[in-house]
Amino acid sequence: VRSMVAGGKVRSESAIGVQVGKVINKYKVGKHFVLDISKGHFDYHIDEKKVEQEALLDGIYVIRTNLARAEFSAEDAVRSYKSLSQVERAFRSMKTIDLYVRPIRHHLEDRVRAHIFICMLAYYVTWHMLKAWRPILFADDEIIYKDFRDPVAPAQRSHSAMRKVQSKRLDDGSEVHSFQTLLASLSSIVKNVCRKRGADDKEATAVIYTTPNAKQLQAFELLESIRCSQ
């Protein structure tokens, strides 16, 4: 830009500003420079004070809150900030992984709101199921320690969680499931209404349920803990 001004290619203040803006927008460093633009003239210098201030915060996130420390400690503020990842995970679960909220084939506002509300309720149930099933999923079932560990230090899985990931087995030797594979396994349990061959609709029927295996029974028992905790 300076060479263009010196060579007489750019003379007006607005034209110089446009050329400077292109460079600043490209490299995103405008806050580090002091610009001097006038008719037929352009100059700049580095704002050393701002550069020094920025250097103090290199690689650091600053989290601020208006709550008193007695109400909300610095550690609690960091944990709350990091818990936002659960919101992102919930939207991903609803839109793509588990509930498939999209596409919404509704046009009336009330129906769209009802659709989203049902999806929120479904995710609420999913959240409780995931929490109850932690011991038999790949999830870290020692999550309670998250409330006590250093919130700034990089998160690390517990030894028990790493064993599940590496061996694909639980301590009892049975297979570890993801949420989706466990649901697929449970879907094999069905209710069969049986009637004698050739019988009409008025004759008696017999109901036969699929006998759940040990893992399926364990999953149902863990779901009972949701009811007990309410």
Side-chain angles (χ1 to χ4, degrees):
V1 175
R2 181 179 285 173
S3 64
M4 293 178 69
V5 174
K9 297 180 181 179
V10 180
R11 307 296 295 177
S12 68
E13 294 181 35
S14 59
I16 295 172
V18 169
Q19 295 298 325
V20 172
K22 290 180 180 179
V23 178
I24 289 177
N25 291 335
K26 180 178 179 180
Y27 295 103
K28 311 296 183 184
V29 292
K31 61 183 177 181
H32 297 307
F33 292 89
V34 177
L35 307 178
D36 180 13
I37 300 175
S38 59
K39 186 175 181 180
H41 169 78
F42 166 65
D43 201 359
Y44 68 90
H45 66 271
I46 297 175
D47 190 332
E48 299 291 350
K49 185 175 181 180
K50 284 188 177 180
V51 171
E52 291 175 2
Q53 291 175 345
E54 287 287 325
L56 295 174
L57 298 177
D58 280 349
I60 297 176
Y61 282 99
V62 177
I63 300 173
R64 299 179 62 184
T65 176
N66 58 359
L67 296 174
R69 187 174 181 82
E71 300 177 60
F72 206 61
S73 67
E75 293 78 8
D76 290 334
V78 175
R79 291 190 183 99
S80 295
Y81 174 77
K82 288 190 172 183
S83 68
L84 292 175
S85 62
Q86 298 178 18
V87 178
E88 297 169 358
R89 190 179 302 114
F91 277 108
R92 186 167 64 253
S93 173
M94 284 195 293
K95 291 191 293 184
T96 58
I97 300 176
D98 302 313
L99 304 178
Y100 298 100
V101 63
R102 290 182 175 180
I104 302 174
R105 295 186 175 87
H106 298 293
H107 302 285
L108 300 180
E109 181 179 349
D110 289 345
R111 293 185 179 182
V112 173
R113 288 179 178 274
H115 182 87
I116 297 299
F117 180 66
I118 291 172
C119 289
M120 290 296 294
L121 289 178
Y123 181 74
Y124 181 70
V125 174
T126 300
W127 183 87
H128 278 288
M129 293 171 70
L130 282 167
K131 185 177 179 181
W133 282 344
R134 277 186 172 276
I136 57 177
L137 300 180
F138 283 105
D140 193 342
D141 51 325
E142 296 183 23
I143 192 171
I144 186 173
Y145 297 112
K146 285 187 176 182
D147 296 334
F148 306 103
R149 71 186 183 194
D150 184 354
V152 178
Q156 294 183 344
R157 284 187 166 188
S158 66
H159 294 300
S160 61
M162 291 306 300
R163 283 199 307 271
K164 289 194 290 186
V165 171
Q166 294 167 359
S167 67
K168 307 294 189 297
R169 297 286 171 181
L170 298 174
D171 291 339
D172 61 3
S174 62
E175 180 185 3
V176 184
H177 278 283
S178 68
F179 183 68
Q180 288 77 20
T181 60
L182 184 55
L183 286 179
S185 173
L186 293 174
S187 68
S188 65
I189 300 176
V190 297
K191 173 184 177 181
N192 295 299
V193 179
C194 303
R195 181 180 285 112
K196 186 177 63 175
R197 185 187 298 274
D200 58 40
D201 294 340
K202 296 181 180 180
E203 290 200 33
T205 59
V207 177
I208 301 176
Y209 292 91
T210 304
T211 302
N213 59 36
K215 180 65 67 177
Q216 292 168 333
L217 283 174
Q218 184 182 11
F220 284 125
E221 289 172 358
L222 289 171
L223 289 180
E224 287 296 323
S225 66
I226 299 176
R227 183 187 303 174
C228 296
S229 62
Q230 298 304 311

